[in-house]
Amino acid sequence: MDSGGFLLCPLFLLFLFWCIISSESQFIRYNTTSTIVPGKLNVHLVAHTHDDVGWLKTVDQYYVGSNNSIQGACVQNVLDSLIPALNGGMCMHDEAATHYIDMIDQTTLGHRFIKDEFGITPRIGWQIDPFGHSAVQAYLLGAEVGFDSLFFGRIDYQDRAKRKGEKSLEVVWQGSKTFGSSAQIFSDAFPENYEPPSNFYYEVDSDAPIVQDDINLFDYNVPQRVNEFVAAAISQDGRVHALYSTPSIYTDAKHAANEAWPIKTDDYFPYADRVNGYWTGYFTSRPALKGYVRLLSGYYLAARQLEYFKGKSASGPNTESLADALAIAQHHDAVSGTSKQHVANDYAKRLSIGYTECPLLNISYCPASEADFSDGKNLVIVVYNPLGWKREDVIRIPVANENVVVRDSSGKEIQSQLLPIPDYIHGLRNYHAAAYLGVSPSVDPKYWLAFSAIVPPLGFSTYYVSKDKQAATISDRHIGYRSGSPNDTFEVGLGNLKLIYSGKEGKLTQYINRKRKVKESLDQTYKYYASYGDDFTANAQASGAYIFRPNGSSIQINPNGRSPITVLRGPIVHEVHQQINSWIYQTTRLFKGKEHAEVEFIVGPIPIDNGIGKEIATEIKTNLTSSKTFYTDSNGRDFIERVRDYRKDWNLEVNQPVAGNYYPINLGIYLKDNSREFSVLVDRSVGGSSILDGQLELMVHRRILNDDSRGVAEALNETVCVSNKCTGLTVLGKYYFRIDPVGEGARWRRTFGQEIYSPFLLAFAESEGNWGDSHVTKFSGIDSSYSLPENVAIITLQDLGDGKILLRLAHLYEIGEDAHLSVKSSVELKKVFHNKQINKVTEVSLSANQERAGMERKRLVWQVKGSSREPQVSRGGPVDPEKLIVELAPMEIRTFIININQ
């Protein structure tokens, strides 16, 4: 252990000793005051516990348990002194499956609560339980909230062994290529996960002797246990000074030592705790919950904006319950997918309370749009755009018949297209409406109605759907492949982008964008990894909710009997429908005016008749010479270079060539060579990799029959039940892909990636008269002549009450990522708040609990060993109180409290 070693004991031990020592003296009193003694090994006794906000029990169930002693008066009296050591968020969030906006929101919610209730500003990051650690956590949720240090327990067993040998568990972490040392943080990975010394583990099922403090009982053992602990410390070094400590005290002691520390860059993914034990399965586990969290995350961002425009109401509907539910859902056993099933159900139920507008629209169930318009009624669709720039996108809603017309807010008819709803969608819709909503749909819509909506920045547009005398444009339909067909190839696409399919083989073969001079072979398939089961041998390690351990190579899923490909063509979208087998369906869409492909997949129920769990992946092969290298995002923010079978920090012993090369993906994954970039973006967090050069794969669903022995004690075998009849979970999701000339892919990844996170928000109403006579039909929340720069997004616009507004602006590009957009940009607050009188603008920390300037002055500065190549760090300057213009440099997020006249 390093000088000034770090020992951990459970919180119960500290509290018990603290209370007893102060109240009676019938044993030897040791000096345990929080002071450092020079010349000795200062052993910092940092007692801790953590209560998962849902894991084996739900959030509420954890209020009841076998040991409630930490709720006693003695503990409550010392609570104030311990709070500075806390993360301070509403939970200890996951770092793999969380989006950076959600991480910021849940931390802000907790930090502001602690500031309001206790007047305290946390300064220590305490992420001891998440299953790997992200670069964004280090620089954004560490340095940018004002933390002086970040402590965590779990790093790869090979990495830990090397660092213990080199005494380099403690590092200065530079998690950002863009910000380098300006956003670094002191970090400590514990020597043995977060375990205490042997014989001092006080979990309920531990064999360690419990401290019995009642002096009237025969097994009273306080003196004995204290002496045993001191003896254990002395056995390591004869010059020991043990002190009750906190991470804050320990951090200050480390800083006062005036030493230099090794540099750590990038992240701590993937995490393995032993041979064959790669915690990369949870990157995809419970994909439906992951999709729901992401859907409601974008909804929450938009809802807060609308709440600000309307004015926050203390008594009426508000976003607070959704805020709490989303914060809890970021927990490292929630969105990660590693809780028990009934706990996952509880997370989803909490989220659903804050969202009720057509919750099953993705599977064509939306009663509002399926109404009969024969009585002269109109369906009113209000389309809200949460982004700061004007936007055009396609709306798709189910309708009961073809005699419909779409008009804009001025009453002008606009182009629309009807797409027949496939039979498999009808079955999915009816079953899940009964399962999730408890209803049996009375209408069976025939078509998707698609039309293009144009919406101003931070604003809405209104569209009307009504009955018409003639049918709308129905998509041309033909069979691209039928068994025995002589057709060799066919093409789809309305503009620059064309996809070429082989009719003979029944699959995609080529991607062409003539404008960008891109022509590339593509081969897209589905496959599965058979899950390794528990064979009760010494080498046993099953796949499960946490662990991904395939039992051999992947197995290709070949189409059953070569089902025909159905092609739909119209003026707005081309669609290619494929039935891969009896439980995988896929629709590929190319939209007018867009230069990417959208792939919607339906996977499930995954068959388990042969008693083997299966982990389903989609794979796309190209001819790019990627040289083992690919790139994945960190929490939807920075992209990090990955090299197959390689770790920068140690010589990797490869024992799992697939699972050990999987990484978390929240925004996207891409690879490149000297001429092209191939990018794939996702609609939720998933696991993915490049197992072969030129190839990318995403794991989209998992159904496993064994537990992986990491505590959840339950197989990841999700089902959906109606009237006691249960089937395996079916997952509907999307991914998007595009090929660009090298150096040009970032623009699509960043701009369209923000559109994926913040989709149009739809609201429906029914009207018999002229809706526009009594309602505003078009609105922009900012100056009508203004829009934000393409490289800047508003990620928070929230009414805090009392004339205070929380505003967060994010630059979307890394340094050097794009030749034109990786530059400083400016936002004019007077135009963003064009109808408000701004009295004061205060820049605050990322979690909005202290002024930014004060935070920067008091943050500790750490010395590092050696020299690292530093970027040309740039940050926006102070906001002029008259001009009110905010500058943002690449990757910068700036947070403000804005006071306005009420």
Side-chain angles (χ1 to χ4, degrees):
M1 184 170 292
D2 295 348
S3 176
F6 202 81
L7 296 180
L8 296 173
C9 292
L11 187 61
F12 175 68
L13 176 64
L14 169 58
F15 283 165
L16 192 58
F17 280 13
W18 202 331
C19 296
I20 293 170
I21 289 172
S22 64
S23 61
E24 51 100 351
S25 57
Q26 302 195 26
F27 56 90
I28 299 172
R29 183 187 294 271
Y30 293 93
N31 180 7
T32 55
T33 56
S34 300
T35 56
I36 308 300
V37 177
K40 290 189 176 183
L41 176 66
N42 288 283
V43 179
H44 291 250
L45 259 152
V46 178
H48 77 92
T49 185
H50 78 268
D51 184 4
D52 293 319
V53 286
W55 179 40
L56 306 183
K57 300 191 288 187
T58 69
V59 177
D60 290 345
Q61 287 171 346
Y62 272 114
Y63 281 95
V64 179
S66 59
N67 187 347
N68 288 319
S69 59
I70 63 172
Q71 300 299 321
C74 173
V75 175
Q76 294 172 15
N77 289 336
V78 299
L79 180 61
D80 285 1
S81 65
L82 296 177
I83 284 178
L86 300 176
N87 257 352
M90 295 293 286
C91 69
M92 188 186 295
H93 57 231
D94 181 47
E95 298 184 39
T98 43
H99 193 277
Y100 78 94
I101 296 178
D102 293 327
M103 295 164 75
I104 293 170
D105 283 343
Q106 84 87 16
T107 303
T108 299
L109 201 62
H111 278 198
R112 289 181 62 82
F113 171 82
I114 289 174
K115 190 65 174 284
D116 292 342
E117 293 294 321
F118 300 99
I120 288 172
T121 304
R123 57 178 288 248
I124 304 296
W126 186 255
Q127 288 286 109
I128 62 166
D129 203 22
F131 325 128
H133 306 282
S134 76
V136 161
Q137 172 66 45
Y139 90 86
L140 196 60
L141 271 296
E144 298 294 314
V145 301
F147 287 167
D148 285 318
S149 56
L150 176 61
F151 296 93
F152 42 87
R154 300 183 188 272
I155 64 172
D156 188 277
Y157 73 100
Q158 295 183 43
D159 190 12
R160 190 191 307 276
K162 180 174 184 289
R163 290 183 181 278
K164 285 177 71 172
E166 296 176 345
K167 298 188 183 298
S168 61
L169 285 165
E170 296 177 325
V171 297
V172 169
W173 193 354
Q174 291 184 4
S176 167
K177 299 188 295 289
T178 298
F179 292 123
S181 61
S182 71
Q184 65 189 20
I185 189 167
F186 177 78
S187 302
D188 186 320
F190 301 157
E192 303 295 338
N193 202 351
Y194 53 76
E195 309 302 320
S198 178
N199 207 33
F200 285 92
Y201 203 120
Y202 288 93
E203 291 286 351
V204 173
D205 57 355
S206 169
D207 294 331
I210 298 297
V211 177
Q212 176 55 262
D213 64 321
D214 189 338
I215 202 166
N216 296 314
L217 297 180
F218 284 113
D219 57 349
Y220 170 75
N221 64 353
V222 170
Q224 174 190 344
R225 297 300 284 141
V226 171
N227 289 332
E228 286 173 354
F229 178 80
V230 173
I234 290 175
S235 70
Q236 297 181 30
D237 192 304
R239 298 173 297 124
V240 170
H241 172 66
L243 62 148
Y244 284 133
S245 188
T246 67
S248 295
I249 295 171
Y250 183 78
T251 298
D252 291 339
K254 284 292 184 181
H255 188 260
N258 201 28
E259 297 180 18
W261 306 95
I263 283 287
K264 162 70 179 175
T265 58
D266 297 343
D267 61 8
Y268 288 91
F269 286 116
Y271 162 61
D273 61 355
R274 65 193 69 169
V275 173
N276 301 322
Y278 277 93
W279 296 47
T280 55
Y282 83 96
F283 299 161
T284 299
S285 295
R286 301 196 186 280
L289 177 64
K290 284 177 163 67
Y292 199 35
V293 169
R294 183 61 53 82
L295 171 70
L296 294 195
S297 177
Y299 177 83
Y300 177 53
L301 183 149
R304 279 180 294 175
Q305 294 177 0
L306 292 168
E307 189 174 49
Y308 156 71
F309 293 130
K310 179 181 179 295
K312 190 171 184 179
S313 170
S315 57
N318 58 56
T319 59
E320 291 178 2
S321 66
L322 182 55
D324 288 339
L326 267 174
I328 290 171
Q330 307 313 313
H331 173 57
H332 60 268
D333 284 308
V335 69
S336 60
T338 55
S339 69
K340 283 186 176 290
Q341 183 64 58
H342 78 279
V343 179
N345 295 344
D346 185 68
Y347 290 131
K349 182 178 180 180
R350 290 169 183 271
L351 290 167
S352 71
I353 293 171
Y355 179 75
T356 57
E357 189 73 62
C358 284
L360 297 183
L361 180 59
N362 63 334
I363 53 171
S364 82
Y365 181 65
C366 184
S369 70
E370 299 162 18
D372 184 0
F373 304 128
S374 59
D375 297 330
K377 296 176 181 177
N378 293 325
L379 172 67
V380 181
I381 308 174
V382 179
V383 185
Y384 180 70
N385 172 23
L387 298 179
W389 55 78
K390 183 180 177 180
R391 180 172 168 194
E392 181 174 2
D393 212 342
V394 173
I395 305 296
R396 296 169 74 247
I397 59 170
V399 292
N401 59 65
E402 61 268 29
N403 290 351
V404 292
V405 64
V406 182
R407 294 183 172 86
D408 63 17
S409 57
S410 68
K412 178 184 176 183
E413 183 177 340
I414 64 170
Q415 193 172 57
S416 62
Q417 179 181 346
L418 291 169
L419 299 110
I421 296 177
D423 291 340
Y424 60 82
I425 288 288
H426 287 293
L428 198 66
R429 152 201 168 88
N430 294 337
Y431 188 84
H432 288 80
Y436 294 140
L437 303 179
V439 299
S440 297
S442 58
V443 177
D444 211 10
K446 296 180 181 178
Y447 300 99
W448 286 107
L449 173 65
F451 63 93
S452 189
I454 302 172
V455 190
L458 267 74
F460 62 76
S461 296
T462 305
Y463 293 87
Y464 309 105
V465 179
S466 56
K467 185 177 180 180
D468 198 35
K469 294 179 181 179
Q470 58 186 21
T473 301
I474 300 177
S475 306
D476 292 332
R477 178 175 180 165
H478 79 278
I479 305 301
Y481 167 83
R482 190 187 296 277
S483 182
S485 169
N487 290 342
D488 187 26
T489 63
F490 62 91
E491 176 183 287
V492 294
L494 294 96
N496 297 319
L497 176 60
K498 306 291 183 185
L499 295 182
I500 310 299
Y501 286 79
S502 167
K504 187 175 182 181
E505 298 178 76
K507 66 178 185 179
L508 174 64
T509 60
Q510 202 168 61
Y511 177 108
I512 300 173
N513 189 320
R514 295 183 178 90
K515 178 184 176 183
R516 297 182 180 275
K517 297 182 174 58
V518 170
K519 186 175 183 180
E520 179 62 35
S521 297
L522 286 181
D523 183 10
Q524 186 259 332
T525 58
Y526 287 88
K527 62 183 183 179
Y528 73 87
Y529 294 96
S531 302
Y532 195 94
D534 190 349
D535 60 6
F536 299 104
T537 67
N539 196 38
Q541 172 56 68
S543 247
Y546 302 89
I547 306 296
F548 172 33
R549 187 185 180 189
N551 189 4
S553 302
S554 62
I555 300 169
Q556 291 294 322
I557 299 174
N558 297 315
N560 291 342
R562 293 220 174 166
S563 300
I565 295 177
T566 302
V567 182
L568 303 177
R569 291 187 174 94
I572 293 171
V573 60
H574 286 186
E575 291 190 350
V576 179
H577 294 246
Q578 296 171 268
Q579 181 176 346
I580 309 301
N581 63 11
S582 62
W583 49 275
I584 300 179
Y585 301 86
Q586 175 175 290
T587 301
T588 304
R589 300 186 180 99
L590 282 80
F591 296 97
K592 179 182 179 182
K594 306 289 184 181
E595 296 189 17
H596 66 264
E598 173 185 297
V599 179
E600 181 178 84
F601 57 85
I602 298 174
V603 176
I606 299 172
I608 53 173
D609 300 343
N610 61 357
I612 296 174
K614 299 173 184 65
E615 312 185 42
I616 315 303
T618 183
E619 174 184 81
I620 308 178
K621 294 179 181 178
T622 72
N623 288 327
L624 271 68
T625 54
S626 51
S627 303
K628 293 187 174 183
T629 304
F630 56 105
Y631 303 82
T632 65
D633 70 275
S634 178
N635 303 111
R637 197 77 183 139
D638 304 60
F639 276 90
I640 297 178
E641 181 182 273
R642 314 295 190 183
V643 180
R644 191 164 58 251
D645 293 335
Y646 172 79
R647 304 291 189 269
K648 185 167 59 176
D649 291 344
W650 76 93
N651 293 324
L652 176 69
E653 178 185 328
V654 179
N655 52 64
Q656 285 293 317
V658 176
N661 285 300
Y662 255 64
Y663 291 87
I665 300 167
N666 276 276
L667 170 59
I669 180 172
Y670 72 94
L671 49 79
K672 64 182 180 179
D673 61 13
N674 292 331
S675 61
R676 294 149 297 171
E677 293 182 25
F678 172 47
S679 306
V680 179
L681 302 184
V682 297
D683 70 342
R684 71 198 66 194
S685 58
V686 299
S689 187
S690 175
I691 302 300
L692 301 169
D693 283 358
Q695 173 257 26
L696 291 177
E697 67 179 65
L698 304 173
M699 185 177 289
V700 296
H701 199 359
R702 313 178 74 218
R703 190 179 187 188
I704 303 173
L705 304 181
N706 293 283
D707 175 60
D708 52 15
S709 302
R710 293 306 187 276
V712 76
E714 191 176 275
L716 185 68
N717 183 10
E718 296 183 274
T719 58
V720 180
C721 301
V722 177
S723 300
N724 296 320
K725 177 188 176 183
C726 299
T727 61
L729 178 71
T730 296
V731 171
L732 184 151
K734 294 179 182 179
Y735 66 89
Y736 313 81
F737 67 86
R738 173 167 160 153
I739 302 176
D740 287 283
V742 69
E744 297 180 18
R747 187 169 196 150
W748 178 69
R749 290 192 295 269
R750 293 299 184 181
T751 302
F752 184 66
Q754 201 65 30
E755 294 182 5
I756 296 172
Y757 181 84
S758 289
F760 279 158
L761 184 64
L762 306 182
F764 300 94
E766 195 177 87
S767 172
E768 293 187 20
N770 190 336
W771 177 266
D773 289 345
S774 55
H775 296 83
V776 174
T777 59
K778 201 161 189 177
F779 167 80
S780 177
I782 64 178
D783 188 294
S784 59
S785 64
Y786 184 68
S787 65
L788 263 65
E790 185 181 345
N791 53 7
V792 175
I794 293 177
I795 61 172
T796 309
L797 178 58
Q798 181 177 3
D799 188 344
L800 299 178
D802 299 325
K804 293 182 179 179
I805 308 301
L806 177 62
L807 173 71
R808 243 184 227 104
L809 300 168
H811 196 298
L812 300 177
Y813 288 75
E814 296 180 66
I815 189 170
E817 192 174 27
D818 184 87
H820 304 289
L821 295 172
S822 292
V823 296
K824 270 190 180 179
S825 284
S826 297
V827 174
E828 300 179 46
L829 296 183
K830 289 182 180 178
K831 292 187 176 178
V832 172
F833 298 92
H834 69 113
N835 57 351
K836 306 286 186 182
Q837 177 63 47
I838 297 175
N839 290 332
K840 184 181 179 183
V841 175
T842 305
E843 186 163 11
V844 294
S845 67
L846 187 67
S847 60
N849 66 343
Q850 57 185 314
E851 290 194 19
R852 174 89 191 191
M855 178 201 83
E856 291 177 342
R857 282 194 301 269
K858 67 184 182 183
R859 278 196 72 234
L860 300 180
V861 177
W862 300 88
Q863 299 181 52
V864 299
K865 292 180 179 178
S867 60
S868 60
R869 200 166 116 193
E870 279 277 69
Q872 184 86 29
V873 176
S874 175
R875 293 201 183 245
V879 177
D880 185 288
E882 296 298 324
K883 295 180 180 178
L884 296 179
I885 294 177
V886 177
E887 287 183 326
L888 292 109
M891 275 289 104
E892 193 170 23
I893 297 179
R894 301 186 70 177
T895 307
F896 301 92
I897 302 291
I898 297 177
N899 294 69
I900 59 174
N901 279 340
Q902 292 183 279

